[in-house]
Amino acid sequence: MVKISEFAVERWMDDHENDAKYNIAETCCASISLDDLAAFSKKPGNVLDFSQKQTYGAIRGTNALRTNIANLYSDSTSEALTAENVLVTNGAIQANFLSLYTNVGPGDHVICHYPTYQQLYSVPESLGAEVSLWKSKQDENWRVDLAELKGLIRPNTKVIVLNNPQNPTGAVLSKELLQDIVDIARQHDITIHSDEVYRPLFHSLDADQHPPSILSFGYDKVVVTGSMSKTFSLAGIRVGWIASRSREIVEQCASARHYTMISLSQVDDQIATAALSAPTVNNLLQRNIDLAKRNLVEVDAFVREFEWAVKWTRPRAGTTAFMQFVDRAGRPVNDVEFCKRVQAKTGVMMVPGSECFGDGSDFKGFVRMGYVPEHQVLVDGLQALRKFMREEYEELVG
């Protein structure tokens, strides 16, 4: 039997989100309805074709959907992707699993950008690989060191795993840094797996600082995963994808996919196709960028008010902030107890960093906050958290 570690962040969400009054642990941009989606399209009519017979449909996803996904990676510097470069999956979580299952096996070595979503290192470990963590430097705005990456490479290094923009920190790997990573991988014939589910939600970078997808650097041994959940506000339709310039990688992932799903729901396919069509995709993305900017102002004001107790690097992209709570002496609090107490007293849900993003010692006192729910949810949640900070925080931390 395959042994795999408890998926800590998903277990925490499962255990706590149904009882939350103010869920500011959620990592998706505020969800939208099909009525909202129709409004973003600026066109009359239904998103769904109610006359369509509900067969299995297109096994890999319709050509229209895969073409719209391919268009997300179009830029002026690289050859355009086609529908054949895309495989549709049941969310990015399946996309990540299929790619890692396809590209990693016993005896392999994997390097994983860290901190990150636990799946990206626990799945390779469960497949028999040894994983080295390429750790971002929390005291240097979550910077990564290329010299450290080079030092981690072994003769059996098979995959470098990236998460850009990064969950939970909101940090971004720049275009220049991505080019260096590609050059290193090419030199050693290493596959790059990049989870880009928060791309292109670059709300706190100037336009000329937006990095392209790592698919844009002309290296075939690159796999990118994405989804409709985070940036596009449609977690409920469970649509994700694998994209690669390597048709061989796509075919290998498609072969493994046969064991996990036959096809995407035709209903989900229609909704995703509509959401990623112009002008809908542009209007939806702009809505979410505007919401992220507006909400970050509120979070920034909270951090400033309690600057003695809260330390952070302001996120530059995505939907999550990773902040450390400390006592008057600057010592990290027990983040697990803090999150439990806050939710019990106020209904505000957050995620403890030491339990959900490490082995218990890496991120003491850290809490992940999802700051792109509906604006009023964030405002009310922060107000409830402020009351806790004023009245009970110092008693909790001693």
Side-chain angles (χ1 to χ4, degrees), residues 7 12 67 69-70 79 87 95 102 106 145 173-174 189 194 205 222 224 231 240 247 281 283 318 321 323 350 363-364:
F7 204 156
W12 185 274
T67 297
I69 292 168
E79 183 180 351
L87 179 67
T102 299
D145 189 325
L173 301 175
S174 69
D189 195 34
S194 185
L205 290 171
V222 168
V224 162
T231 298
R247 299 287 180 85
V281 63
N283 294 332
M323 49 186 66
M350 297 179 291
F363 302 114
K364 290 181 179 179

Side-chain angles (χ1 to χ4, degrees), residues 42-89:
K42 308 294 185 184
K43 300 173 185 175
N46 294 317
V47 171
L48 293 174
D49 176 5
F50 288 94
S51 69
Q52 185 179 52
K53 303 296 186 182
Q54 293 302 303
T55 65
Y56 281 115
I59 298 300
R60 298 190 182 197
T62 60
N63 186 72
L65 175 55
R66 289 184 293 130
T67 297
N68 284 354
I69 292 168
N71 289 340
L72 295 175
Y73 303 99
S74 296
D75 59 44
S76 60
T77 64
S78 59
E79 183 180 351
L81 296 185
T82 71
E84 299 305 312
N85 298 108
V86 176
L87 179 67
V88 179
T89 63

Side-chain angles (χ1 to χ4, degrees), residues 323-334:
M323 49 186 66
Q324 188 178 40
F325 286 77
V326 299
D327 64 16
R328 291 280 182 184
R331 295 170 299 204
V333 305
N334 182 326

